[in-house]
């Protein structure tokens, strides 16, 4: 892993390792159950599972960029955005990622990529229009820290099994395979696959949500320490959260599937159980930035 000037976070590293360990165990369980139940088709199962995993990991940045409507821009097309990324990369001593803009009024940003050499940082037009230069740099530093800490790649891998298990569960429930089958063993096999997939989906969902909340706090902390301006990041957080609340619900629902990768979630209602949230609350993030500001001031 290439070293940068972003503050290392042992807590984040240990959580990523733990999450990947349990996700790996779940992956083995799912494949094992399918191999046992499908017997002669075990080679096909392994090839499909392995192919999907490689495709998800290798092309995750392109998939995410396409899904969120991001398009790469040159320094001539977006001088302000490129200038901010250039300054931060020089400050962090890290390779410059590809820079992109997403045509969306939802003020947000995200980073993708399996490593620093294949990374991309993207800001929406809504974010660029609303933030001051120092606030924008705070948000971009937050996103670049995800790349430096490699938690973007870990989140991509961790979310894959949950997606796969969810697809298997929905396919089994919607198709109704085995309901009218006279072969009792086939019906039982379908029920077992569905049950295992549902459990795996639930566990992987909770694990990725737990990691997601911590990595957002870690990124806030790393960005504040790198730029030395936690107040600017706090102002950006407050502004973005407030502006998102004014965005039409239809637009927010389009962005909601990608919440785990965004700087701020499209939906983060207080009534929504914190265990299921992809981000810590605004109060938690501002409280941490306030403590960092006090430490830097001292």
């Amino acid at each position: 892993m290439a070293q940068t000037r972003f503050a290392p976070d042992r807590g984040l590293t240990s959580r990523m390792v733990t999450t990947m360990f349990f996700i790996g165990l779940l992956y083995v369980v799912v494949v094992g159950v399918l191999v046992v139940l499908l017997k002669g088709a075990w080679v096909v199962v392994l090839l499909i599972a392995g192919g999907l995993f490689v495709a998800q990991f290798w092309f995750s940045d392109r998939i995410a960029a396409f899904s969120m409507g991001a398009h790469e821009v040159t320094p001539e097309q977006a001088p302000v955005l490129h200038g901010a990324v250039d300054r931060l990369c020089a400050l962090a001593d890290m390779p410059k990622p590809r820079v992109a803009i997403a045509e969306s009024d939802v003020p947000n940003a995200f980073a993708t990529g399996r490593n620093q050499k294949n990374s991309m940082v993207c800001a929406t037009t809504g974010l660029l229009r609303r933030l001051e230069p120092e606030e924008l740099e705070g948000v971009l530093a937050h996103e670049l820290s995800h790349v430096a800490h490699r938690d973007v790649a870990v989140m991509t891998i961790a979310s894959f099994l949950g997606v796969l298990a969810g697809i298997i569960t929905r396919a089994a429930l919607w198709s109704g395979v085995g309901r009218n089958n006279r072969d009792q063993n086939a019906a039982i096999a379908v029920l077992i696959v569905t049950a295992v997939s549902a459990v795996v989906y639930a566990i992987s969902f909770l694990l990725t949500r737990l990691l997601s909340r911590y990595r957002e706090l870690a990124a806030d902390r790393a960005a504040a320490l790198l730029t030395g301006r936690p107040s600017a990041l706090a102002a950006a957080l407050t502004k973005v959260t407030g502006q998102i609340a004014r965005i039409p619900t239809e637009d927010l629902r389009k962005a909601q599937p990608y919440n785990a990768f965004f700087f701020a979630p499209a939906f983060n209602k207080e009534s929504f159980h914190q265990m299921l949230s992809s981000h810590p609350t605004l109060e938690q993030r501002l409280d941490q930035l306030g403590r960092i500001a006090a430490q830097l001031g001292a």
Side-chain angles (χ1 to χ4, degrees), residues 264-284:
F267 287 100
N268 196 24
K269 296 180 180 179
E270 291 299 327
S271 58
F272 198 65
H273 201 290
Q274 189 60 26
M275 281 290 290
L276 306 181
S277 177
S278 61
H279 288 64
T281 64
L282 176 62
E283 289 72 18
Q284 288 175 312

Side-chain angles (χ1 to χ4, degrees), residues 100-238:
I101 291 178
E103 298 291 336
S104 172
D105 191 46
V106 179
N108 235 316
F110 64 90
T112 66
R114 59 186 182 276
N115 54 47
Q116 291 186 26
K117 294 181 179 179
N118 298 280
S119 60
M120 182 186 75
V121 62
C122 177
T124 65
T125 51
L127 184 81
L128 296 173
R129 188 170 59 252
R130 289 175 171 90
L131 296 189
E132 298 298 325
E134 286 190 354
E135 296 169 347
L136 177 62
E137 286 197 4
V139 173
L140 294 175
H142 171 105
E143 297 304 330
L144 288 172
S145 77
H146 284 315
V147 176
H149 290 151
R150 302 192 72 170
D151 55 83
V152 172
V154 171
M155 281 295 294
T156 299
I157 298 172
S159 63
F160 167 75
L161 182 58
V163 172
L164 180 61
I167 291 173
I168 294 173
T169 303
R170 287 191 291 270
L173 292 175
W174 290 346
S175 65
V177 176
R179 292 177 185 173
N180 300 317
N181 198 323
R182 294 181 180 179
D183 187 347
Q184 188 176 4
N185 291 333
I188 293 175
V190 171
L191 289 175
I192 292 175
V193 170
T194 304
V196 171
S197 298
V199 171
V200 168
Y201 177 77
I203 294 175
S204 61
F205 179 87
L206 292 175
L207 284 174
T208 53
R209 284 296 186 268
L210 183 63
L211 175 60
S212 180
R213 289 193 297 275
Y214 186 89
R215 84 184 190 111
E216 293 302 328
L217 289 173
D220 285 346
R221 182 164 53 249
L225 293 174
L226 179 75
T227 62
R229 295 192 297 267
S231 59
L233 182 56
L237 265 171
T238 303

